[in-house]
Amino acid sequence: MALNRLIAWVLATALGLSACGDAPSPSNKPSLLPASGQVSIEASRPSSVKAYAAARFLDQASFGSNAASIAEVQSLGYADWIDRQLALPPTQIDGKPLLVWRDLNLLDKEQGKLNWGFNQIETSKAFLSAPDQLRMRMTWALSNFIVVSQNKVNPYGVTEYFNMLQRQALGSYSELLYQVIRSPAMGQYLDNNQNRRQGACPDCFLNENFGRELMQLFTVGVFMLNRDGSVVKNSSGKPLETYSQADVQDITRALTGWEFDNRHVQKEGALNHPNWAGYEKAMIPGWAGSHDDGAKRVLGMSIPAAQGAEKDARAVADILSNHPNTGPFVVFRLIQAMVSSDPSPEYVARVVAVFENNGKGKRGDLAAVAKAILLDPEARRADDPSFRELRVGRIKEPVLQSVSVMRALECKQPITMPWNRYEVYGFSNQKPLAAPSVFSFFSPMHRAPGSNVLAPEQKLLDSKEFRDRLGGLSQVYGDDGKALRDAQCQFDAYVQALSRSPDAFMELMNQRLFKGSMSPVLRDASKVLLNETSRENTGQRAALVMTFMLTTPAFGVIK
């Protein structure tokens, strides 16, 4: 058959699988624990963790598995692996290369590519190789709903925002919120650097943008929630709203008077200086009178008068962190980002109990929340590859898909596109920290077409994304595989395996890319593709076949 018809057949066959796994067997109904109390699960013994289960766990807890990380999980077991990760210091990106210029308007073409592509390259390096993979995965999750975007903020500011999230990603949620309030990148992105007490100067006014999004998108959400994430409704079935316009106004008043700590910055380029806002330093209270020092009332809680901008910001962070909605709101998004796009209410409630109390009386402990998410029975029940249930799992969004490929190929550096060394393979439809708006890349409430199943990441699986994935490694490989060699990937192992036999090649893909569970359907598709590409050189054949196999749900869905 012609190659284009073969491609269509492969995709139709592969995509005929359900979005989150094969069709469920009626006998494999989920069995969940009661919703109340702390998470209860028997910790895995190191010897009991199979390679498939370890790789699946790493799909959830990291940016994907490689041989060393699988062996580490098998050696330590899940709980001890998590504890070791929690003890690692946060990886930080060094943004100093961005500060060599004084005026971004004066960059030449190559300098402009380096500047605007810096975070794509550096975050991909961190996602690929940083030892603190669990922290990285949490930072990625947080960055996608507590959004700052390079669409408005300079690359250096975005770098420092990423570093701040890294430092806070496994700490207290209240402290995270306080640091977000004081972040100059966030101050610029949602305009809180312009928020001044009404009448403090002729041009001073309240700017509600940040205060509103701080509640709507970062903490409590629009509607009241039960502990299991379901919406609270009145007797008429109408959802109850979480906050009022009065709350928006008073939280905005509480957050007035912050300004950039940028007096140390040489400003030859004025606002075009890469660090014009002093992004590496938290914002500071501004001039006397810029902060509204009157009493406020936010979400039913009082903030005393005359306590200053810093104490008001702390009060806002504590009020939001302690609000009953924040646990289910945050937990739901973290579960979606790590384990399952459509978690059961029972799963959400169990982890919310940990958010509310980590077992030591501490609320909002993100390290305990991460551990609870990953060790929950609903997260671990499909560690047996024979288990199938329709709503288990999540689609890998482009960044996670790409980095998990690079980790599986044991790349030492990110794979970049042959025509642009600042464009990372697989990132064209989702560049880290460059969301199109404060509402991120997709809504957490997006549902798979024609169903009631939540599948937020599917929003990015548009024609552009499939076109990019279908180009994939075969496009990167080109004629000679130089881009893969430059990234120090172990692609030659696949070429050598194919040189020996098609079966050796497919078995290597099975073990390294598909956790040892490649289906007969995919094996048959691989054989057909290998036969149809027999005129290509061995490297091109391997890259082409691997490209199509990686486009299927068997790799692209975390089950």
Side-chain angles (χ1 to χ4, degrees):
M1 66 178 76
L3 186 57
N4 61 343
R5 286 190 290 116
L6 173 66
I7 292 170
W9 174 81
V10 170
L11 287 178
T13 302
L15 296 179
L17 300 173
S18 90
C20 290
D22 297 335
S25 166
S27 62
N28 283 331
K29 297 294 184 182
S31 176
L32 301 176
L33 297 180
S36 61
Q38 301 292 328
V39 174
S40 176
I41 184 170
E42 181 181 353
S44 60
R45 299 181 302 278
S47 61
S48 70
V49 181
K50 305 299 183 186
Y52 175 90
R56 179 178 177 272
F57 172 81
L58 289 163
D59 273 347
Q60 301 166 341
S62 74
F63 274 84
S65 63
N66 54 28
S69 61
I70 290 172
E72 184 180 27
V73 171
Q74 288 187 284
S75 172
L76 295 173
Y78 301 140
D80 286 350
W81 183 89
I82 293 171
D83 289 341
R84 178 174 289 187
Q85 286 284 306
L86 297 179
L88 293 173
T91 294
Q92 301 280 273
I93 293 175
D94 183 3
K96 290 187 181 67
L98 293 171
L99 301 181
V100 298
W101 308 295
R102 294 302 179 188
D103 189 337
L104 296 179
N105 283 345
L106 302 180
L107 303 185
D108 62 30
K109 185 176 181 180
E110 188 64 19
Q111 290 171 335
K113 286 183 178 180
L114 170 59
N115 182 59
W116 297 104
F118 180 83
N119 281 303
Q120 189 177 164
I121 295 295
E122 294 304 315
T123 54
S124 65
K125 287 180 181 178
F127 295 157
L128 176 64
S129 302
D132 53 328
Q133 281 287 300
L134 176 57
R135 183 184 296 271
M136 280 285 167
R137 188 62 180 271
M138 284 286 284
T139 291
W140 174 239
L142 292 166
S143 75
N144 286 325
F145 74 92
I146 308 178
V147 174
V148 161
S149 175
Q150 194 167 286
N151 287 343
K152 183 176 179 180
V153 179
N154 284 353
Y156 184 70
V158 170
T159 298
E160 290 304 318
Y161 185 73
F162 175 89
N163 286 339
M164 181 276 291
L165 288 182
Q166 271 284 101
R167 295 191 295 270
Q168 304 300 326
L170 294 171
S172 155
Y173 201 71
S174 179
E175 180 64 24
L176 168 63
L177 293 176
Y178 179 67
Q179 296 302 329
V180 167
I181 289 169
R182 298 185 64 200
S183 163
M186 181 62 79
Q188 180 191 354
Y189 187 59
L190 291 182
D191 307 320
N192 205 50
N193 66 313
Q194 302 173 21
N195 185 22
R196 300 289 179 263
R197 180 177 64 83
Q198 195 77 35
C201 68
D203 297 322
C204 289
F205 59 91
L206 295 177
N207 190 308
E208 297 178 353
N209 195 21
F210 175 61
R212 187 184 304 275
E213 306 303 3
L214 181 59
M215 291 192 291
Q216 178 183 345
L217 299 177
F218 306 167
T219 53
V220 298
V222 176
F223 300 116
M224 291 297 296
L225 301 174
N226 295 304
R227 294 171 79 246
D228 64 3
S230 59
V231 175
V232 178
K233 299 179 181 180
N234 63 18
S235 58
S236 302
K238 183 179 179 180
L240 298 180
E241 293 184 353
T242 310
Y243 57 85
S244 67
Q245 178 57 30
D247 291 311
V248 174
Q249 187 169 27
D250 270 19
I251 200 171
T252 301
R253 291 175 55 222
L255 297 174
T256 50
W258 290 94
E259 64 180 35
F260 300 131
D261 186 3
N262 60 357
R263 287 164 289 189
H264 65 290
V265 179
Q266 297 180 19
K267 304 181 181 65
E268 289 92 332
L271 294 183
N272 295 313
H273 188 284
N275 190 30
W276 69 273
Y279 291 112
E280 80 281 17
K281 293 189 175 185
M283 290 198 297
I284 56 176
W287 42 274
S290 63
H291 176 68
D292 185 331
D293 231 0
K296 299 98 178 171
R297 190 167 182 82
V298 176
L299 299 173
M301 304 298 293
S302 296
I303 299 177
Q307 64 175 8
E310 289 193 19
K311 288 186 177 180
D312 274 8
R314 283 282 186 191
V316 166
D318 288 342
I319 287 169
L320 293 176
S321 180
N322 287 317
H323 191 277
N325 256 38
T326 302
F329 185 92
V330 172
V331 162
F332 192 88
R333 281 150 182 76
L334 293 177
I335 293 175
Q336 282 189 315
M338 301 174 79
V339 174
S340 180
S341 298
D342 197 14
S344 71
E346 295 87 354
Y347 187 5
V348 175
R350 288 193 296 271
V351 182
V352 167
V354 176
F355 183 94
E356 294 173 343
N357 183 348
N358 67 352
K360 300 177 182 178
K362 183 178 179 181
R363 182 181 177 86
D365 180 355
L366 291 175
V369 167
K371 192 169 188 177
I373 288 171
L374 293 169
L375 296 185
D376 190 88
E378 192 162 331
R380 304 272 53 88
R381 69 190 184 200
D383 284 351
D384 178 352
S386 67
F387 179 87
R388 291 292 182 267
E389 201 272 322
L390 187 60
R391 292 172 68 144
V392 170
R394 68 184 300 274
I395 297 168
K396 293 179 183 176
E397 67 270 28
V399 165
L400 191 55
Q401 167 85 3
S402 170
V403 179
S404 63
V405 171
M406 291 188 280
R407 283 178 62 82
L409 293 178
E410 306 284 352
C411 302
K412 304 303 181 187
Q413 295 291 328
I415 301 170
T416 56
M417 306 309 289
W419 55 86
N420 184 353
R421 63 193 180 101
Y422 304 114
E423 178 75 30
V424 177
Y425 151 77
F427 279 21
S428 66
N429 215 24
Q430 188 189 31
K431 293 178 174 58
L433 304 169
S437 77
V438 71
F439 296 100
S440 198
F441 297 101
F442 42 74
S443 166
M445 297 295 108
H446 175 75
R447 299 182 186 275
S451 80
N452 199 37
V453 177
L454 291 173
E457 303 81 13
Q458 192 172 22
K459 187 71 173 178
L460 291 182
L461 296 189
D462 54 16
S463 58
K464 180 180 184 297
E465 178 63 20
F466 273 110
R467 183 171 64 249
D468 289 347
R469 291 193 187 189
L470 288 169
L473 285 178
S474 60
Q475 194 174 43
V476 171
Y477 185 87
D479 295 326
D480 58 3
K482 181 179 182 303
L484 297 178
R485 290 197 301 276
D486 288 347
Q488 302 175 59
C489 304
Q490 293 185 6
F491 190 76
D492 283 347
Y494 294 88
V495 178
Q496 294 165 8
L498 183 55
S499 298
R500 294 195 298 273
S501 72
D503 286 338
F505 171 68
M506 286 186 287
E507 185 54 29
L508 185 61
M509 279 204 303
N510 177 36
Q511 294 303 323
R512 294 195 181 181
L513 299 173
F514 295 95
K515 309 182 188 72
S517 63
M518 185 188 290
S519 70
V521 171
L522 288 186
R523 286 183 182 273
D524 289 344
S526 296
K527 291 178 181 178
V528 173
L529 279 170
L530 286 171
N531 290 335
E532 290 289 329
T533 58
S534 58
R535 294 183 181 180
E536 307 288 344
N537 69 48
T538 306
Q540 290 171 329
R541 292 176 73 199
L544 181 61
V545 173
M546 187 181 294
T547 293
F548 287 113
M549 296 304 102
L550 292 173
T551 307
T552 67
F555 183 84
V557 174
I558 299 172
K559 298 177 183 177

